Amino acid sequence: MTGLTLADHEVSEASKQIAEDHKNRANEAFKAKHYQEAVDAYTAAIDANPRNAVYLSNRAFANLRLENLGSALADASAAIELDPTYAKAYYRRGDAAFALAHFKDALAEAEKQLKRARFEEALSQPDNDVPVSDTIVLDDVAIDSSYCGPALPTDENGAYFINLEFIESMLEAFKRGQTLHRRYVLWIVLEAQRLLKALPSLVHVDVPAGSHITVCGDTHGQFFDLLRIFQLGGAPSEANPYLFNGDFVDRGSWSMEVMLTLLAHKCLCPGAMHLTRGNHEAKSMNLIYGFYGEVREKCGPTAVEVFRETFCWLPLGYVLRDTVLVLHGGLFSDDGVRLDELAAIQRYREPPEAGHMCEMLWSDPKDTPGREPNKRGVGIAFGPDVTRAFLQDNGLSLLVRSHEVKDEGYEVAHDGYCITIFSAPNYCDQMGNKGAFIRFKGEDMVPAFTQFEAAPHPDVKPMKYAASMMNGMFGM
């Protein structure tokens, strides 16, 4: 353990012992995967003894597990200021900077401390001016005679279409570890892209009396947990529609299977499957957290670009029965934002670093009033007064968002006006959380929660396709 530095004599022995007690409690909470409890206990240790770099570095690590990347970066930097020889603090700072997509800083940190530069070539590639999707000729994608997986049906003119039998056979193939042929993958993604292009950036969905809609949070490539959702909530259909609220991909190692399942249902019945863009439906995140590497390995580089372009057409939010707003992240740095402004956002782009689109993907609620910089380092943290004012300004009754792991799979905050829903149980095979989804009935639009545990899955580790630096960050 590194020694104390900077005026140790200013901290009494009694305070040092209190700090150690808090640190020990924090370490136990961390081992039990109660990361927010660990952050709170490390904070108590720092309050008792602000001169110990270990406490700051440990809190940085707990914040990394919670994806509070801005806080992790600040803690690691403070630890280094206290003790410039403390190696672990440099690791934490490099991990946080890299995860925040501060690529140049992260690579410099890696070269200096970790001797890694895995993404330099990938990040230097320019974007194409002409969408790759527009250049695809499916007939040029030959199907080898050895392919024995599911095949899309064709009509009397030889054109592909999708039916429930194909989706069922596709899911069975995915369970056995098989992948679809590249031609079928491209057809599904391009057909879904065509449907998404016709939607506004903010979509209104009616939920009449006698009907319902199910809202799910992050799924993050956890395909077998997606199947558990359909097992509990029923298969998607016109009478049983779903809204998946972003972060379909990355981290979990079946992200392509999750995405193809959702897009295939969108193609089969557009009204049965609604999809919101999350902060992980972005090139920068996919390069780091696995989706880029997964699709490249399973389907080739062309498919990577077609998925990326399709992500850019995903709507940014949904309004359910003119009362419930569903978006991935949260609210805004300025007052008076109106729904028509959100509907007018030009969304076909990679997410910007600021502004309404960024905040819809990245912001988080906080318990105290007002606004402050987000602990992630992107977007803002907004209080209950901000939520109430936004809902009142727009004639809404509830905000539903995702974007954060919750131990119970959901959390009701801001006096009942803000709900977080998260649908990836035992996130990354290590968080121990439940998953959950919400069902709204058209009669009253009152949220009803269903919780579920993680489903068994084959022995394929999360982050299998991610950057090696991120694998190290999560101990995989």
Side-chain angles (χ1 to χ4, degrees):
M1 180 179 294
T2 188
L4 302 177
T5 62
L6 295 180
D8 295 348
H9 62 278
E10 294 181 6
V11 180
S12 70
E13 290 302 318
S15 294
K16 291 177 184 178
Q17 185 56 55
I18 290 170
E20 279 295 297
D21 291 343
H22 286 306
K23 183 204 76 173
N24 292 335
R25 180 165 59 87
N27 288 349
E28 290 303 313
F30 190 98
K31 290 176 184 176
K33 304 178 183 177
H34 299 152
Y35 299 118
Q36 185 57 57
E37 183 181 336
V39 167
D40 294 341
Y42 287 132
T43 299
I46 293 164
D47 289 343
N49 180 5
R51 303 299 185 182
N52 192 320
V54 172
Y55 304 156
L56 284 159
S57 180
N58 285 1
R59 189 171 71 176
F61 196 21
N63 272 315
L64 281 167
R65 291 299 176 96
L66 289 168
E67 300 185 17
N68 299 338
L69 303 177
S71 296
L73 187 65
D75 281 345
S77 296
I80 291 167
E81 185 176 349
L82 276 175
D83 185 353
T85 69
Y86 188 26
K88 282 187 178 180
Y90 289 98
Y91 277 81
R92 306 296 182 233
R93 188 167 73 176
D95 288 342
F98 199 83
L100 276 166
H102 295 166
F103 296 119
K104 292 182 180 178
D105 290 346
L107 290 175
E109 192 75 45
E111 290 168 357
K112 178 181 177 182
Q113 300 296 333
L114 310 176
K115 309 299 183 184
R116 300 174 184 170
R118 288 288 302 273
F119 277 111
E120 189 173 14
E121 180 179 357
L123 295 176
S124 69
Q125 296 299 317
D127 292 334
N128 292 325
D129 293 331
V130 178
V132 172
S133 300
D134 293 349
T135 70
I136 301 297
V137 179
L138 288 177
D139 288 343
D140 291 346
V141 184
I143 299 178
D144 192 283
S145 59
S146 63
Y147 177 71
C148 57
L152 280 166
T154 56
D155 62 18
E156 62 274 11
N157 298 315
Y160 289 128
F161 68 95
I162 202 163
N163 57 22
L164 187 57
E165 290 74 20
F166 169 79
I167 292 178
E168 290 173 347
S169 67
M170 179 183 75
L171 298 184
E172 288 301 317
F174 290 165
K175 286 190 237 180
R176 296 191 298 269
Q178 297 175 328
T179 57
L180 277 187
H181 191 276
R182 189 160 60 97
R183 181 191 281 194
Y184 303 137
V185 170
L186 292 171
W187 185 90
I188 291 170
V189 180
L190 290 169
E191 178 63 13
Q193 184 185 121
R194 181 185 67 81
L195 295 168
L196 294 169
K197 282 182 179 181
L199 299 175
S201 292
L202 184 70
V203 180
H204 288 256
V205 176
D206 192 20
V207 187
S211 68
H212 66 263
I213 189 168
T214 300
V215 179
C216 302
D218 302 33
T219 46
H220 275 301
Q222 297 186 195
F223 171 70
F224 292 87
D225 295 312
L226 176 62
L227 297 183
R228 172 67 58 84
I229 291 171
F230 292 152
Q231 187 180 54
L232 294 171
S237 68
E238 196 71 49
N240 189 37
Y242 282 81
L243 194 170
F244 281 82
N245 194 27
D247 280 13
F248 321 112
V249 303
D250 284 338
R251 298 194 181 279
S253 295
W254 292 275
S255 290
M256 194 173 85
E257 287 80 0
V258 166
M259 204 67 240
L260 287 173
T261 301
L262 299 177
L263 293 180
H265 278 290
K266 184 69 177 176
C267 295
L268 176 65
C269 183
M273 183 60 66
H274 306 287
L275 303 170
T276 314
R277 191 174 189 177
N279 63 300
H280 275 266
E281 280 69 60
K283 182 178 182 178
S284 58
M285 303 298 281
N286 298 160
L287 281 166
I288 300 172
Y289 290 100
F291 188 63
Y292 176 93
E294 180 182 344
V295 175
R296 190 177 181 91
E297 179 169 317
K298 292 177 178 178
C299 206
T302 299
V304 173
E305 286 302 304
V306 175
F307 271 110
R308 184 185 72 81
E309 291 164 3
T310 301
F311 289 162
C312 290
W313 286 111
L314 288 166
L316 303 177
Y318 286 78
V319 178
L320 307 181
R321 206 182 182 189
D322 295 326
T323 60
V324 178
L325 174 65
V326 183
L327 48 73
H328 182 73
L331 297 181
F332 309 101
S333 53
D334 49 340
D335 292 324
V337 175
R338 299 287 182 169
L339 294 182
D340 56 359
E341 295 177 61
L342 306 183
I345 292 174
Q346 298 300 313
R347 71 184 186 277
Y348 186 71
R349 58 180 298 187
E350 290 300 310
E353 295 183 1
H356 292 167
M357 181 174 172
C358 169
E359 290 161 350
M360 292 175 80
L361 300 178
W362 279 98
S363 291
D364 292 295
K366 66 187 184 82
D367 294 334
T368 56
R371 298 176 175 92
E372 61 187 45
N374 199 355
K375 57 195 175 185
R376 298 176 188 268
V378 188
I380 66 154
F382 60 96
D385 54 326
V386 176
T387 299
R388 285 194 298 270
F390 176 84
L391 294 176
Q392 184 174 357
D393 287 346
N394 289 281
L396 301 169
S397 62
L398 181 65
L399 171 67
V400 175
R401 42 89 63 185
S402 299
H403 195 40
E404 289 183 286
V405 183
K406 297 298 177 183
D407 285 345
E408 297 301 313
Y410 72 94
E411 181 180 78
V412 181
H414 291 185
D415 303 315
Y417 291 108
C418 178
I419 291 174
T420 297
I421 190 71
F422 193 84
S423 302
N426 195 24
Y427 181 45
C428 282
D429 284 357
Q430 66 177 358
M431 296 294 280
N433 60 291
K434 295 177 182 176
F437 56 80
I438 309 171
R439 179 156 289 180
F440 291 99
K441 292 183 178 180
E443 287 81 2
D444 53 21
M445 296 300 289
V446 173
F449 300 96
T450 297
Q451 296 171 290
F452 57 98
E453 302 286 350
H457 62 72
D459 187 19
V460 178
K461 301 300 183 186
M463 306 288 281
K464 175 181 177 181
Y465 303 96
S468 62
M469 190 172 184
M470 298 309 297
N471 281 325
M473 168 179 155
F474 283 90
M476 297 174 185

